[in-house]
Amino acid sequence: MNVQDDEHNQTGAAAFADFAERQSRSLQSDRLSPTDDSQVSSEQNHASVIPPRFRLLFVSNQRPEWVGFALRLDAIGCEEPRLEWASNAEEMLKLLSNHSYDCLLIQADVEGRHNCGELLQAIRVSGCDEPIVLISPVPDDRLSLAACEFQAELLVSPAGWDSPALLSYVQRALWVQQLQEDHHRLQVENHRRLVRERDEAERLLNQQRSMVEQLQTLVYPGELEPSAGEVPAEQSVPEVSMSDAQIPADIPEYYHELLRTYVIMGSGSLKDEIIQIAELLAAARLTSRQVLEFHLECVETIVRGLGNRSSRHVMSRADLLALEMMVHLGECYQKRLSE
């Protein structure tokens, strides 16, 4: 019995040890899976930068040995690269004028390291915005300055074309170009959005001005309709413009500050200031039409001074301030009538 129990216990212990080992392996694999996934996604992202038919132009005095570089391209999924070679700057510029390339690889001693800045300037002036990777066997400060000035990558390696870091530099140059294109696209879209919002703000201001003008029709409906046989006078309606309205000298600046603060903070903590300026406007005997006209002048001043900032938020907050101001102004006049 003891021998059988021992054999049974040994068998169970071995099975439990095997199960525990499998569990630990699964936990380790689960722990490593995020890192592995990130590495795989990073490799996929780097590979996605280079198109399947990657077109590359080598510029060097002698024809480069690009077998190793082609094998590295094939390892990341670029199966049909087009690798071309130019022996001097004139031939390179001629090819650039007739064809487009995904990237340029320039050996730094093709025209001498001292003339690389002029070569890069000629490439950019010709309208070529392709990514450029300079390859130099030794460090050179003037070459580094030229690379920074004309947006080029600089690889310093004695191995030259056979450097294992060359592909990474090419990928980084492509990433930089893609980021620049995305940044330019976002800038254009943002500018168009601001133009649309500015046009919308102008349209809303014009609508509100027409509404202010129509208030005169609502107040004096009979003044605008001459009776039969009467010749309409040129000024049958007594209109009072903002130039004729007697606004206290301190109100315009105070109202401008109130409008700016209201646009930023909202109406939460400005109720007392709004009531105070409404009482000042009522004390100056300004009508609602005159107050709205004055309000639109202030809003137009703020919208024109926005520059590259959005005007939609300003217009929405300004409309709320006008509504709240009209409510308090009506309450002030009602209080004066009751008194």
Side-chain angles (χ1 to χ4, degrees):
M1 290 293 293
N2 293 334
V3 175
Q4 291 179 356
D5 291 339
D6 291 339
E7 292 178 354
H8 180 72
N9 292 334
Q10 291 175 0
T11 304
F16 179 80
D18 187 24
F19 174 77
E21 184 178 0
R22 289 198 305 269
Q23 288 292 105
S24 63
R25 289 178 180 176
S26 65
L27 290 175
Q28 291 178 359
S29 64
D30 292 339
R31 292 175 182 175
L32 294 176
S33 58
T35 307
D36 295 340
D37 292 340
S38 63
Q39 292 177 354
V40 171
S41 62
S42 177
E43 293 176 357
Q44 291 176 353
N45 291 333
H46 284 295
S48 63
V49 178
I50 297 181
R53 296 183 179 181
F54 186 52
R55 191 167 186 176
L56 189 65
L57 178 61
F58 291 81
V59 184
S60 61
N61 292 330
Q62 298 179 354
R63 187 179 183 89
E65 296 292 337
W66 50 51
V67 177
F69 185 74
L71 292 176
R72 295 186 184 95
L73 288 175
D74 183 73
I76 62 173
C78 183
E79 301 176 353
E80 299 180 5
R82 296 189 59 181
L83 308 179
E84 301 182 17
W85 168 59
S87 60
N88 51 51
E90 290 77 13
E91 185 178 353
M92 177 198 66
L93 293 176
K94 184 178 179 180
L95 289 174
L96 290 176
S97 62
N98 297 326
H99 306 283
S100 61
Y101 296 90
D102 296 312
C103 187
L104 304 179
L105 293 180
I106 302 177
Q107 192 173 3
D109 57 355
V110 60
E111 294 290 341
R113 289 193 300 272
H114 304 297
N115 298 328
C116 264
E118 299 178 359
L119 179 62
L120 292 176
Q121 183 179 6
I123 293 174
R124 297 309 187 196
V125 169
S126 65
C128 175
D129 296 329
E130 282 81 354
I132 299 176
V133 178
L134 298 175
I135 302 174
S136 175
V138 294
D140 189 282
D141 292 337
R142 282 177 289 187
L143 190 61
S144 301
L145 290 175
C148 294
E149 182 179 358
F150 297 102
Q151 295 83 42
E153 296 289 336
L154 177 59
L155 171 61
V156 179
S157 174
W161 309 114
D162 296 329
S163 173
L166 180 58
L167 181 58
S168 299
Y169 273 76
V170 171
Q171 289 175 335
R172 187 169 68 177
L174 294 174
W175 269 111
V176 171
Q177 185 198 34
Q178 184 176 355
L179 290 176
Q180 290 177 348
E181 292 177 354
D182 293 341
H183 179 67
H184 177 69
R185 177 178 54 82
L186 292 175
Q187 279 187 329
V188 172
E189 292 178 356
N190 186 45
H191 177 70
R192 291 176 179 175
R193 179 182 59 83
L194 291 175
V195 170
R196 288 195 303 268
E197 291 184 1
R198 195 64 51 84
D199 294 340
E200 182 181 358
E202 291 293 336
R203 181 178 58 83
L204 291 175
L205 286 174
N206 292 331
Q207 290 179 355
Q208 292 174 358
R209 290 192 191 97
S210 63
M211 181 187 66
V212 171
E213 294 174 358
Q214 291 173 1
L215 285 177
Q216 189 72 15
T217 307
L218 297 176
V219 175
Y220 304 100
E223 297 287 345
L224 298 178
E225 298 179 359
S227 59
E230 293 183 358
V231 179
E234 293 182 358
Q235 294 183 355
S236 59
V237 179
E239 292 188 3
V240 180
S241 61
M242 288 307 301
S243 60
D244 299 330
Q246 297 179 356
I247 301 179
D250 56 340
I251 289 183
E253 183 179 359
Y254 183 45
Y255 194 84
H256 274 85
E257 293 297 328
L258 175 64
L259 180 58
R260 293 191 185 97
T261 308
Y262 194 96
V263 168
I264 297 173
M265 301 176 56
S267 62
S269 59
L270 299 175
K271 183 178 179 180
D272 296 336
E273 287 79 359
I274 295 174
I275 295 176
Q276 182 180 359
I277 198 170
E279 292 177 351
L280 292 176
L281 293 173
R285 298 183 179 276
L286 295 177
T287 64
S288 59
R289 184 177 66 86
Q290 293 171 345
V291 173
L292 280 178
E293 187 178 354
F294 171 64
H295 170 80
L296 292 178
E297 291 179 359
C298 298
V299 173
E300 186 176 4
T301 303
I302 291 181
V303 170
R304 287 180 179 178
L306 286 176
N308 293 328
R309 289 172 289 179
S310 175
S311 59
R312 181 175 300 176
H313 175 73
V314 175
M315 292 299 299
S316 61
R317 287 290 179 87
D319 292 342
L320 290 177
L321 176 59
L323 178 62
E324 192 169 354
M325 184 63 66
M326 290 298 103
V327 171
H328 290 297
L329 187 65
E331 291 178 353
C332 290
Y333 279 120
Q334 186 176 7
K335 185 186 299 183
R336 286 175 176 272
L337 289 176
S338 63
E339 292 176 355

